[in-house]
Structures are given as structure tokens and as C-alpha cells.
Amino acid sequence: MSITALLEVQLKPDAVDDGIAALNAILVDTRAFAGNEGVIVVQDKDDPARLVAVETWESLEADAKYREWRAGEGAPVALVPFLAGAPKLTVGRQLDV
């Protein structure tokens, strides 16, 4: 069963374009990672510096392997200079409601 991960990112207000460009480059590897079923990014209409990456993974195990890789050799360091704070991650199962 697929799971969804929501990664909320708050960029510095003066770094939105650069932050989006860095995120776009980082997501190339995310989309290519084993078990990834897709990623979209939503920009808040009232706060353009707030982005939410909506990731779909084939399993909790695939997501866990990805998070482990991102915490180590795949760390998204290119995005760090543009962040206003720590990203927030929520992982859960999709419900049929």
C-alpha cells in the first residue's frame, strides 16, 4: 500500500526563487529513488515562501530507506542556505474516505 510523505519547507522571503531552484534540482534524485511513485510541490498562495512537497512511496520501508539516504550521503545541502527553519515531515498511509 502506498504511503504519502508531506515535507513542509519555509524558505527565507528573499530567497524564494533560489530555494525553489535548489529544491527542483534535489527532487531529481528523489523521483529517481527506488520506491518513489511521484512528487509534486505546492506553493502556499498566501505565503510564497512556504512549500509543501507531496511525495508518494510504494511502502514505509522505501520511504525509510530514502530518509536514511537523505540523512547521510544524500543530504540536501544545496537547499540549506535558503531555509528559514527546519523542514517538517509528516508520513502516513492514504485512507479510502
Side-chain angles (χ1 to χ4, degrees):
M1 171 181 276
S2 294
I3 61 117
T4 300
L6 305 174
L7 181 68
E8 297 179 51
V9 176
Q10 187 69 41
L11 301 172
K12 295 175 183 172
D14 62 345
V16 172
D17 291 339
D18 290 334
I20 290 172
L23 183 61
N24 186 45
I26 288 164
L27 290 179
V28 170
D29 291 332
T30 303
R31 291 181 175 110
F33 202 89
N36 182 269
E37 296 179 341
V39 180
I40 65 165
V41 177
V42 178
Q43 184 177 40
D44 188 314
K45 73 174 186 64
D46 295 324
D47 180 3
R50 182 174 177 267
L51 309 175
V52 179
V54 182
E55 308 168 13
T56 305
W57 293 90
E58 68 183 23
S59 65
L60 285 170
E61 294 78 18
D63 177 72
K65 286 179 184 177
Y66 171 74
R67 302 295 161 202
E68 183 179 333
W69 177 73
R70 279 292 185 207
E73 69 179 87
V77 295
L79 185 61
V80 172
F82 310 113
L83 295 176
K88 178 184 175 191
L89 177 67
T90 303
V91 177
R93 296 196 182 275
Q94 298 175 16
L95 299 178
D96 292 327
V97 295

